[in-house]
Amino acid sequence: MVLLFASCEVSTNYTNPELQDLLSERYNKEFRIERNQFNAELNEFQFIAVPVNNEDVKVHGSYKDNSSVVSDNYMQMEHSYQAEEVMKEQLGKFYNRYAVKANAAIDQYTSSSFLELISNA
């Protein structure tokens, strides 16, 4: 009699509180996790988080398992939101008449505000 054993490694995810803590430490803000699930096509976990003080900013992130590095786009999404607020202020009543969208491309963990970034550029 021959016995064959197959072993398959199951990835484990970060819990929502662990992700919240990680983002809070990284950015010195409180976050809430909206979704944290495994994407079988990409073979990674993906999550959506929002800063508690501004739920208009949607943060997208991913990681392989709970021992891997977590990547996210918080600073890009925060600066894009800030850029839209600046445009809204500058365009006034015209803002709602046109499709206006900002996309800021910045260093991943830069903590300056959008206005500081453009004044230094």
Side-chain angles (χ1 to χ4, degrees), residues 4-72:
L4 295 174
F5 291 96
S7 126
C8 69
E9 196 173 308
V10 177
S11 291
T12 54
N13 65 319
Y14 283 101
T15 65
N16 289 357
E18 288 172 328
L19 283 173
Q20 288 170 185
D21 289 346
L22 186 145
L23 292 172
S24 293
E25 287 176 24
R26 187 176 283 172
Y27 299 111
N28 200 27
K29 291 181 183 264
E30 187 178 349
F31 287 84
R32 180 176 50 79
I33 305 301
E34 289 188 339
R35 188 177 72 202
N36 180 18
Q37 61 191 36
F38 187 72
N39 182 325
E41 289 179 23
L42 298 175
N43 195 33
E44 68 181 13
F45 290 92
Q46 296 181 320
F47 66 91
I48 296 176
V50 294
V52 171
N53 66 347
N54 186 358
E55 296 196 4
D56 289 333
V57 175
K58 299 285 184 197
V59 180
H60 300 267
S62 63
Y63 58 93
K64 288 287 183 191
D65 57 37
N66 65 351
S67 63
S68 65
V69 174
V70 173
S71 61
D72 68 82

Side-chain angles (χ1 to χ4, degrees), residues 79 82 86 110-121:
H79 288 150
Q82 291 174 9
V86 169
T110 303
S111 60
S112 301
S113 74
F114 174 74
L115 290 176
E116 290 173 23
L117 289 173
I118 59 173
S119 69
N120 293 332

